[in-house]
Amino acid sequence: MIRVTIWNEFYHEKTEENVKALYPNGLHATIKEQLEKIAADEYEIRLADIDMPEHGLTDDVLNNTDVLIWWGHCRHGLVDDAIAAKVVDHVHRGMGFIALHSSHLSKPFVKLMGTPCTLRWRCIDEHARMWKVDRTHPITRGLPDSFELEAEEMYGEPFLIPKPDDLLWVTWYAGGEICRSACTYERGFGKVFYFQPGHETCPSYYNPYVIQIIKNAIDWANPGQDRIPLCCDSQPPFEKIEK
Ligand code: ZN
């Protein structure tokens, strides 16, 4: 079983009726339910949110998480710096990290990228089409050449992320912009995936293709081993060195 923790700032679902109607138990709970429909016996999924003690990310939780999924939007600044730093440290030692939608500005993702991660945006729930631009990566396996999102928030270039290790999808929006909407990175010993869909007023986490991509990303980012210690020690030589 891959141990997955889905973290959510869990705010709009409590404060806005239309979001509550769409994601009544929080969008993290919806992602869990949708994943369990297609892979119930593959994952042990835990939910965590910002209002839990230590934001639900205690040492015990992080030590027992293979892949951490993150959704944040308007409460990035309320995330404790020490906890964000701990998440980054776990990624460096091997934990997988999936940043969804507005988590492009979350503290862990920005720290992992080292760039501003800013982008152009427009929120009028417009039609979007995601185009697969990599046919060999395991995250794109089984997905069609393109698929539609009936309504999404537009995220457009310039998206100030580092050049991705692999660019998997580009999204076109009805308003004319495009976005590098699915990107992979290795950071230390950990694998990181950024995935754009998931504005809180849009039903993207009920889209079977979106859930399949998140599933594939979990499988790809799963380290399959314990955390790897970071080594920065002086070492004796293996061979005898003649001088
Ligand atoms: Zn949004």
Side-chain angles (χ1 to χ4, degrees):
M1 298 277 272
I2 300 177
R3 299 164 301 174
V4 177
T5 300
I6 309 177
W7 188 93
N8 183 12
E9 69 172 30
F10 205 5
Y11 179 68
H12 301 292
E13 301 95 320
K14 294 174 181 169
T15 58
E16 295 171 35
E17 287 303 321
N18 57 335
V19 181
K20 197 187 291 182
L22 193 56
Y23 297 113
N25 299 312
L27 52 83
H28 54 337
T30 297
I31 294 169
K32 176 177 188 283
E33 287 160 15
Q34 298 297 314
L35 283 170
E36 286 173 345
K37 278 186 190 168
I38 59 170
D41 54 350
E42 294 178 43
Y43 307 131
E44 185 184 303
I45 303 177
R46 182 198 311 259
L47 301 179
D49 70 67
I50 198 169
D51 296 320
M52 293 174 165
E54 298 181 54
H55 303 332
L57 298 174
T58 61
D59 288 337
D60 183 54
V61 169
L62 287 171
N63 285 332
N64 289 288
T65 297
D66 298 309
V67 179
L68 176 61
I69 299 176
W70 193 280
W71 196 100
H73 177 218
C74 62
R75 302 175 93 189
H76 296 315
L78 298 179
V79 172
D80 189 283
D81 286 336
I83 292 174
K86 213 155 53 171
V87 168
V88 169
D89 174 62
H90 275 266
V91 174
H92 286 157
R93 291 187 292 121
M95 183 177 73
F97 186 76
I98 298 174
L100 296 175
H101 189 60
S102 38
S103 305
H104 69 98
L105 287 181
S106 66
K107 286 183 181 179
F109 186 71
V110 172
K111 281 174 195 279
L112 286 163
M113 295 298 106
T115 57
C117 299
T118 49
L119 44 70
R120 186 189 299 264
W121 62 276
R122 175 175 58 247
C123 194
I124 56 169
D125 292 0
E126 68 199 82
H127 172 77
R129 180 171 287 278
M130 296 195 65
W131 280 96
K132 184 165 79 171
V133 294
D134 185 320
R135 287 172 170 272
T136 59
H137 197 281
I139 297 179
T140 68
R141 200 167 290 156
L143 277 301
D145 286 351
S146 78
F147 63 91
E148 290 177 66
L149 297 170
E150 58 189 89
E152 251 306 335
E153 180 176 15
M154 184 281 291
Y155 277 10
E157 303 290 338
F159 186 11
L160 285 185
I161 45 175
K163 184 176 176 183
D165 292 343
D166 288 299
L167 173 62
L168 306 185
W169 273 272
V170 171
T171 300
W172 170 88
Y173 298 89
E177 290 87 352
I178 61 165
C179 177
R180 289 171 292 166
S181 52
C183 305
T184 69
Y185 298 90
E186 285 187 11
R187 287 295 183 267
F189 298 116
K191 291 178 175 173
V192 177
F193 180 55
Y194 174 75
F195 190 42
Q196 190 275 343
H199 183 65
E200 67 273 8
T201 63
C202 301
S204 297
Y205 295 130
Y206 294 96
N207 181 303
Y209 295 133
V210 167
I211 293 299
Q212 184 66 45
I213 291 167
I214 293 172
K215 181 195 182 301
N216 289 356
I218 293 168
D219 296 344
W220 168 80
N222 173 32
Q225 60 184 330
D226 294 336
R227 297 287 184 268
I228 301 167
L230 305 183
C231 170
C232 195
D233 304 327
S234 174
Q235 302 290 324
F238 283 96
E239 311 290 342
K240 188 171 182 206
I241 300 171
E242 305 289 350
K243 291 195 177 174

mmCIF file of all heavy atoms in Angstrom, residues 87-122:
data_model
loop_
_atom_site.group_PDB
_atom_site.id
_atom_site.type_symbol
_atom_site.label_atom_id
_atom_site.label_comp_id
_atom_site.label_asym_id
_atom_site.label_seq_id
_atom_site.Cartn_x
_atom_site.Cartn_y
_atom_site.Cartn_z
ATOM 1 N N VAL A 87 8.414 19.829 5.402
ATOM 2 C CA VAL A 87 7.900 19.164 4.196
ATOM 3 C C VAL A 87 9.006 19.142 3.124
ATOM 4 O O VAL A 87 9.259 18.106 2.492
ATOM 5 C CB VAL A 87 6.640 19.887 3.668
ATOM 6 C CG1 VAL A 87 6.283 19.402 2.268
ATOM 7 C CG2 VAL A 87 5.472 19.662 4.625
ATOM 8 N N VAL A 88 9.665 20.273 2.935
ATOM 9 C CA VAL A 88 10.740 20.347 1.930
ATOM 10 C C VAL A 88 11.846 19.352 2.266
ATOM 11 O O VAL A 88 12.361 18.645 1.388
ATOM 12 C CB VAL A 88 11.290 21.793 1.840
ATOM 13 C CG1 VAL A 88 12.565 21.840 1.008
ATOM 14 C CG2 VAL A 88 10.231 22.729 1.261
ATOM 15 N N ASP A 89 12.196 19.272 3.558
ATOM 16 C CA ASP A 89 13.243 18.329 3.978
ATOM 17 C C ASP A 89 12.830 16.884 3.668
ATOM 18 O O ASP A 89 13.651 16.089 3.180
ATOM 19 C CB ASP A 89 13.499 18.505 5.482
ATOM 20 C CG ASP A 89 14.469 17.470 6.018
ATOM 21 O OD1 ASP A 89 15.623 17.452 5.551
ATOM 22 O OD2 ASP A 89 14.068 16.660 6.894
ATOM 23 N N HIS A 90 11.565 16.564 3.911
ATOM 24 C CA HIS A 90 11.103 15.199 3.600
ATOM 25 C C HIS A 90 11.180 14.930 2.097
ATOM 26 O O HIS A 90 11.535 13.824 1.679
ATOM 27 C CB HIS A 90 9.676 14.972 4.123
ATOM 28 C CG HIS A 90 9.649 14.543 5.569
ATOM 29 N ND1 HIS A 90 9.610 13.224 5.954
ATOM 30 C CD2 HIS A 90 9.689 15.273 6.705
ATOM 31 C CE1 HIS A 90 9.611 13.152 7.286
ATOM 32 N NE2 HIS A 90 9.659 14.382 7.764
ATOM 33 N N VAL A 91 10.848 15.940 1.282
ATOM 34 C CA VAL A 91 10.965 15.749 -0.180
ATOM 35 C C VAL A 91 12.424 15.506 -0.546
ATOM 36 O O VAL A 91 12.746 14.578 -1.301
ATOM 37 C CB VAL A 91 10.395 16.963 -0.949
ATOM 38 C CG1 VAL A 91 10.653 16.811 -2.448
ATOM 39 C CG2 VAL A 91 8.900 17.114 -0.683
ATOM 40 N N HIS A 92 13.317 16.306 0.014
ATOM 41 C CA HIS A 92 14.745 16.115 -0.299
ATOM 42 C C HIS A 92 15.214 14.713 0.069
ATOM 43 O O HIS A 92 16.117 14.162 -0.557
ATOM 44 C CB HIS A 92 15.595 17.157 0.433
ATOM 45 C CG HIS A 92 15.487 18.526 -0.153
ATOM 46 N ND1 HIS A 92 15.759 19.675 0.559
ATOM 47 C CD2 HIS A 92 15.115 18.941 -1.394
ATOM 48 C CE1 HIS A 92 15.571 20.731 -0.221
ATOM 49 N NE2 HIS A 92 15.184 20.308 -1.407
ATOM 50 N N ARG A 93 14.596 14.118 1.095
ATOM 51 C CA ARG A 93 14.991 12.769 1.525
ATOM 52 C C ARG A 93 14.128 11.679 0.890
ATOM 53 O O ARG A 93 14.221 10.527 1.263
ATOM 54 C CB ARG A 93 14.971 12.687 3.053
ATOM 55 C CG ARG A 93 16.077 13.535 3.686
ATOM 56 C CD ARG A 93 16.196 13.365 5.176
ATOM 57 N NE ARG A 93 15.057 13.900 5.899
ATOM 58 C CZ ARG A 93 14.271 13.193 6.706
ATOM 59 N NH1 ARG A 93 14.494 11.904 6.896
ATOM 60 N NH2 ARG A 93 13.265 13.756 7.333
ATOM 61 N N GLY A 94 13.263 12.075 -0.069
ATOM 62 C CA GLY A 94 12.603 11.032 -0.861
ATOM 63 C C GLY A 94 11.095 11.091 -0.966
ATOM 64 O O GLY A 94 10.515 10.413 -1.822
ATOM 65 N N MET A 95 10.403 11.845 -0.100
ATOM 66 C CA MET A 95 8.932 11.857 -0.154
ATOM 67 C C MET A 95 8.452 12.474 -1.472
ATOM 68 O O MET A 95 8.974 13.494 -1.915
ATOM 69 C CB MET A 95 8.374 12.662 1.026
ATOM 70 C CG MET A 95 6.846 12.670 1.097
ATOM 71 S SD MET A 95 6.219 13.557 2.559
ATOM 72 C CE MET A 95 6.567 15.264 2.087
ATOM 73 N N GLY A 96 7.442 11.871 -2.086
ATOM 74 C CA GLY A 96 6.838 12.456 -3.276
ATOM 75 C C GLY A 96 5.965 13.637 -2.897
ATOM 76 O O GLY A 96 5.373 13.668 -1.808
ATOM 77 N N PHE A 97 5.863 14.634 -3.799
ATOM 78 C CA PHE A 97 5.076 15.840 -3.499
ATOM 79 C C PHE A 97 4.302 16.245 -4.749
ATOM 80 O O PHE A 97 4.893 16.427 -5.813
ATOM 81 C CB PHE A 97 6.002 16.977 -3.056
ATOM 82 C CG PHE A 97 5.276 18.219 -2.598
ATOM 83 C CD1 PHE A 97 4.674 18.253 -1.354
ATOM 84 C CD2 PHE A 97 5.207 19.343 -3.410
ATOM 85 C CE1 PHE A 97 4.001 19.395 -0.923
ATOM 86 C CE2 PHE A 97 4.540 20.487 -2.984
ATOM 87 C CZ PHE A 97 3.939 20.520 -1.736
ATOM 88 N N ILE A 98 2.975 16.361 -4.604
ATOM 89 C CA ILE A 98 2.120 16.761 -5.721
ATOM 90 C C ILE A 98 1.446 18.077 -5.345
ATOM 91 O O ILE A 98 0.680 18.140 -4.373
ATOM 92 C CB ILE A 98 1.063 15.675 -6.019
ATOM 93 C CG1 ILE A 98 1.759 14.370 -6.433
ATOM 94 C CG2 ILE A 98 0.094 16.152 -7.110
ATOM 95 C CD1 ILE A 98 0.818 13.188 -6.604
ATOM 96 N N ALA A 99 1.756 19.127 -6.089
ATOM 97 C CA ALA A 99 1.175 20.450 -5.827
ATOM 98 C C ALA A 99 0.029 20.667 -6.807
ATOM 99 O O ALA A 99 0.230 20.649 -8.026
ATOM 100 C CB ALA A 99 2.240 21.528 -6.006
ATOM 101 N N LEU A 100 -1.185 20.861 -6.253
ATOM 102 C CA LEU A 100 -2.372 21.013 -7.093
ATOM 103 C C LEU A 100 -2.771 22.481 -7.206
ATOM 104 O O LEU A 100 -2.784 23.215 -6.212
ATOM 105 C CB LEU A 100 -3.538 20.221 -6.503
ATOM 106 C CG LEU A 100 -3.378 18.695 -6.443
ATOM 107 C CD1 LEU A 100 -4.580 18.076 -5.720
ATOM 108 C CD2 LEU A 100 -3.237 18.095 -7.837
ATOM 109 N N HIS A 101 -3.114 22.870 -8.420
ATOM 110 C CA HIS A 101 -3.741 24.162 -8.719
ATOM 111 C C HIS A 101 -3.010 25.336 -8.044
ATOM 112 O O HIS A 101 -1.833 25.541 -8.305
ATOM 113 C CB HIS A 101 -5.235 24.096 -8.344
ATOM 114 C CG HIS A 101 -5.996 25.291 -8.801
ATOM 115 N ND1 HIS A 101 -6.073 25.644 -10.129
ATOM 116 C CD2 HIS A 101 -6.684 26.252 -8.120
ATOM 117 C CE1 HIS A 101 -6.776 26.755 -10.236
ATOM 118 N NE2 HIS A 101 -7.150 27.142 -9.032
ATOM 119 N N SER A 102 -3.709 26.083 -7.174
ATOM 120 C CA SER A 102 -3.124 27.302 -6.604
ATOM 121 C C SER A 102 -1.995 27.021 -5.610
ATOM 122 O O SER A 102 -1.422 27.965 -5.045
ATOM 123 C CB SER A 102 -4.228 28.136 -5.943
ATOM 124 O OG SER A 102 -5.177 27.317 -5.298
ATOM 125 N N SER A 103 -1.658 25.773 -5.422
ATOM 126 C CA SER A 103 -0.487 25.435 -4.613
ATOM 127 C C SER A 103 0.810 25.828 -5.310
ATOM 128 O O SER A 103 1.886 25.644 -4.743
ATOM 129 C CB SER A 103 -0.476 23.941 -4.291
ATOM 130 O OG SER A 103 -1.680 23.577 -3.670
ATOM 131 N N HIS A 104 0.701 26.388 -6.518
ATOM 132 C CA HIS A 104 1.922 26.908 -7.169
ATOM 133 C C HIS A 104 2.549 28.000 -6.317
ATOM 134 O O HIS A 104 3.739 28.260 -6.441
ATOM 135 C CB HIS A 104 1.608 27.435 -8.583
ATOM 136 C CG HIS A 104 0.773 28.670 -8.614
ATOM 137 N ND1 HIS A 104 1.308 29.928 -8.771
ATOM 138 C CD2 HIS A 104 -0.562 28.841 -8.486
ATOM 139 C CE1 HIS A 104 0.329 30.826 -8.755
ATOM 140 N NE2 HIS A 104 -0.818 30.187 -8.584
ATOM 141 N N LEU A 105 1.747 28.635 -5.436
ATOM 142 C CA LEU A 105 2.310 29.663 -4.549
ATOM 143 C C LEU A 105 2.413 29.183 -3.096
ATOM 144 O O LEU A 105 2.629 29.984 -2.195
ATOM 145 C CB LEU A 105 1.465 30.943 -4.619
ATOM 146 C CG LEU A 105 1.618 31.758 -5.911
ATOM 147 C CD1 LEU A 105 0.754 33.014 -5.850
ATOM 148 C CD2 LEU A 105 3.074 32.138 -6.183
ATOM 149 N N SER A 106 2.259 27.892 -2.862
ATOM 150 C CA SER A 106 2.393 27.379 -1.493
ATOM 151 C C SER A 106 3.856 27.443 -1.063
ATOM 152 O O SER A 106 4.768 27.382 -1.892
ATOM 153 C CB SER A 106 1.887 25.932 -1.416
ATOM 154 O OG SER A 106 2.716 25.076 -2.184
ATOM 155 N N LYS A 107 4.057 27.566 0.239
ATOM 156 C CA LYS A 107 5.434 27.674 0.750
ATOM 157 C C LYS A 107 6.301 26.480 0.363
ATOM 158 O O LYS A 107 7.427 26.675 -0.114
ATOM 159 C CB LYS A 107 5.421 27.865 2.272
ATOM 160 C CG LYS A 107 4.980 29.256 2.696
ATOM 161 C CD LYS A 107 5.065 29.424 4.218
ATOM 162 C CE LYS A 107 4.601 30.816 4.612
ATOM 163 N NZ LYS A 107 4.645 31.009 6.091
ATOM 164 N N PRO A 108 5.824 25.235 0.523
ATOM 165 C CA PRO A 108 6.723 24.116 0.155
ATOM 166 C C PRO A 108 7.081 24.124 -1.332
ATOM 167 O O PRO A 108 8.242 23.914 -1.691
ATOM 168 C CB PRO A 108 5.908 22.865 0.514
ATOM 169 C CG PRO A 108 4.895 23.318 1.496
ATOM 170 C CD PRO A 108 4.586 24.744 1.155
ATOM 171 N N PHE A 109 6.097 24.391 -2.216
ATOM 172 C CA PHE A 109 6.373 24.330 -3.654
ATOM 173 C C PHE A 109 7.343 25.439 -4.065
ATOM 174 O O PHE A 109 8.309 25.183 -4.799
ATOM 175 C CB PHE A 109 5.071 24.433 -4.452
ATOM 176 C CG PHE A 109 5.262 24.238 -5.929
ATOM 177 C CD1 PHE A 109 5.577 22.987 -6.454
ATOM 178 C CD2 PHE A 109 5.151 25.302 -6.815
ATOM 179 C CE1 PHE A 109 5.772 22.800 -7.827
ATOM 180 C CE2 PHE A 109 5.337 25.132 -8.184
ATOM 181 C CZ PHE A 109 5.648 23.878 -8.688
ATOM 182 N N VAL A 110 7.108 26.657 -3.587
ATOM 183 C CA VAL A 110 7.997 27.769 -3.963
ATOM 184 C C VAL A 110 9.422 27.501 -3.463
ATOM 185 O O VAL A 110 10.401 27.735 -4.171
ATOM 186 C CB VAL A 110 7.442 29.107 -3.426
ATOM 187 C CG1 VAL A 110 8.453 30.237 -3.644
ATOM 188 C CG2 VAL A 110 6.121 29.451 -4.112
ATOM 189 N N LYS A 111 9.537 26.961 -2.237
ATOM 190 C CA LYS A 111 10.876 26.631 -1.719
ATOM 191 C C LYS A 111 11.544 25.560 -2.571
ATOM 192 O O LYS A 111 12.744 25.611 -2.835
ATOM 193 C CB LYS A 111 10.790 26.128 -0.267
ATOM 194 C CG LYS A 111 10.642 27.231 0.765
ATOM 195 C CD LYS A 111 10.413 26.597 2.143
ATOM 196 C CE LYS A 111 9.892 27.599 3.146
ATOM 197 N NZ LYS A 111 10.941 28.432 3.726
ATOM 198 N N LEU A 112 10.763 24.579 -2.995
ATOM 199 C CA LEU A 112 11.328 23.493 -3.809
ATOM 200 C C LEU A 112 11.738 23.990 -5.193
ATOM 201 O O LEU A 112 12.697 23.498 -5.784
ATOM 202 C CB LEU A 112 10.321 22.347 -3.943
ATOM 203 C CG LEU A 112 10.138 21.493 -2.684
ATOM 204 C CD1 LEU A 112 8.855 20.680 -2.762
ATOM 205 C CD2 LEU A 112 11.346 20.572 -2.472
ATOM 206 N N MET A 113 10.998 24.961 -5.738
ATOM 207 C CA MET A 113 11.298 25.464 -7.083
ATOM 208 C C MET A 113 12.411 26.504 -7.052
ATOM 209 O O MET A 113 13.235 26.578 -7.963
ATOM 210 C CB MET A 113 10.041 26.064 -7.716
ATOM 211 C CG MET A 113 8.921 25.063 -7.994
ATOM 212 S SD MET A 113 9.380 23.752 -9.161
ATOM 213 C CE MET A 113 9.573 22.359 -8.048
ATOM 214 N N GLY A 114 12.410 27.381 -6.034
ATOM 215 C CA GLY A 114 13.435 28.426 -5.980
ATOM 216 C C GLY A 114 13.182 29.586 -6.926
ATOM 217 O O GLY A 114 14.092 30.376 -7.203
ATOM 218 N N THR A 115 11.975 29.691 -7.459
ATOM 219 C CA THR A 115 11.598 30.802 -8.343
ATOM 220 C C THR A 115 10.275 31.382 -7.842
ATOM 221 O O THR A 115 9.600 30.753 -7.025
ATOM 222 C CB THR A 115 11.422 30.316 -9.797
ATOM 223 O OG1 THR A 115 10.450 29.269 -9.815
ATOM 224 C CG2 THR A 115 12.726 29.809 -10.386
ATOM 225 N N PRO A 116 9.842 32.548 -8.333
ATOM 226 C CA PRO A 116 8.609 33.147 -7.790
ATOM 227 C C PRO A 116 7.348 32.316 -8.038
ATOM 228 O O PRO A 116 6.371 32.421 -7.282
ATOM 229 C CB PRO A 116 8.513 34.484 -8.531
ATOM 230 C CG PRO A 116 9.923 34.809 -8.911
ATOM 231 C CD PRO A 116 10.571 33.488 -9.218
ATOM 232 N N CYS A 117 7.297 31.500 -9.078
ATOM 233 C CA CYS A 117 6.130 30.645 -9.397
ATOM 234 C C CYS A 117 4.861 31.463 -9.665
ATOM 235 O O CYS A 117 3.746 30.946 -9.516
ATOM 236 C CB CYS A 117 5.877 29.600 -8.303
ATOM 237 S SG CYS A 117 7.257 28.461 -8.084
ATOM 238 N N THR A 118 5.008 32.713 -10.030
ATOM 239 C CA THR A 118 3.860 33.554 -10.362
ATOM 240 C C THR A 118 3.378 33.235 -11.773
ATOM 241 O O THR A 118 4.118 32.657 -12.584
ATOM 242 C CB THR A 118 4.247 35.032 -10.285
ATOM 243 O OG1 THR A 118 5.475 35.218 -11.018
ATOM 244 C CG2 THR A 118 4.463 35.475 -8.855
ATOM 245 N N LEU A 119 2.133 33.630 -12.061
ATOM 246 C CA LEU A 119 1.562 33.380 -13.390
ATOM 247 C C LEU A 119 0.429 34.371 -13.658
ATOM 248 O O LEU A 119 -0.012 35.111 -12.787
ATOM 249 C CB LEU A 119 1.065 31.932 -13.502
ATOM 250 C CG LEU A 119 0.271 31.318 -12.344
ATOM 251 C CD1 LEU A 119 -1.113 31.913 -12.210
ATOM 252 C CD2 LEU A 119 0.166 29.811 -12.520
ATOM 253 N N ARG A 120 -0.042 34.358 -14.901
ATOM 254 C CA ARG A 120 -1.198 35.146 -15.312
ATOM 255 C C ARG A 120 -2.451 34.335 -14.984
ATOM 256 O O ARG A 120 -2.444 33.117 -15.128
ATOM 257 C CB ARG A 120 -1.065 35.320 -16.833
ATOM 258 C CG ARG A 120 -2.052 36.200 -17.508
ATOM 259 C CD ARG A 120 -1.864 36.036 -19.020
ATOM 260 N NE ARG A 120 -0.539 36.435 -19.474
ATOM 261 C CZ ARG A 120 -0.255 37.646 -19.979
ATOM 262 N NH1 ARG A 120 -1.202 38.534 -20.109
ATOM 263 N NH2 ARG A 120 0.960 37.933 -20.355
ATOM 264 N N TRP A 121 -3.541 34.971 -14.525
ATOM 265 C CA TRP A 121 -4.735 34.193 -14.191
ATOM 266 C C TRP A 121 -6.006 34.982 -14.493
ATOM 267 O O TRP A 121 -5.981 36.207 -14.619
ATOM 268 C CB TRP A 121 -4.722 33.755 -12.720
ATOM 269 C CG TRP A 121 -4.730 34.881 -11.731
ATOM 270 C CD1 TRP A 121 -3.649 35.578 -11.295
ATOM 271 C CD2 TRP A 121 -5.860 35.448 -11.068
ATOM 272 N NE1 TRP A 121 -4.031 36.544 -10.405
ATOM 273 C CE2 TRP A 121 -5.388 36.489 -10.246
ATOM 274 C CE3 TRP A 121 -7.226 35.175 -11.087
ATOM 275 C CZ2 TRP A 121 -6.231 37.263 -9.452
ATOM 276 C CZ3 TRP A 121 -8.078 35.947 -10.291
ATOM 277 C CH2 TRP A 121 -7.572 36.974 -9.479
ATOM 278 N N ARG A 122 -7.112 34.246 -14.611
ATOM 279 C CA ARG A 122 -8.431 34.858 -14.812
ATOM 280 C C ARG A 122 -9.458 33.835 -14.336
ATOM 281 O O ARG A 122 -9.406 32.664 -14.735
ATOM 282 C CB ARG A 122 -8.661 35.169 -16.294
ATOM 283 C CG ARG A 122 -10.062 35.691 -16.630
ATOM 284 C CD ARG A 122 -10.188 36.088 -18.107
ATOM 285 N NE ARG A 122 -9.897 34.992 -19.003
ATOM 286 C CZ ARG A 122 -8.848 34.934 -19.831
ATOM 287 N NH1 ARG A 122 -7.978 35.919 -19.895
ATOM 288 N NH2 ARG A 122 -8.645 33.871 -20.594
#
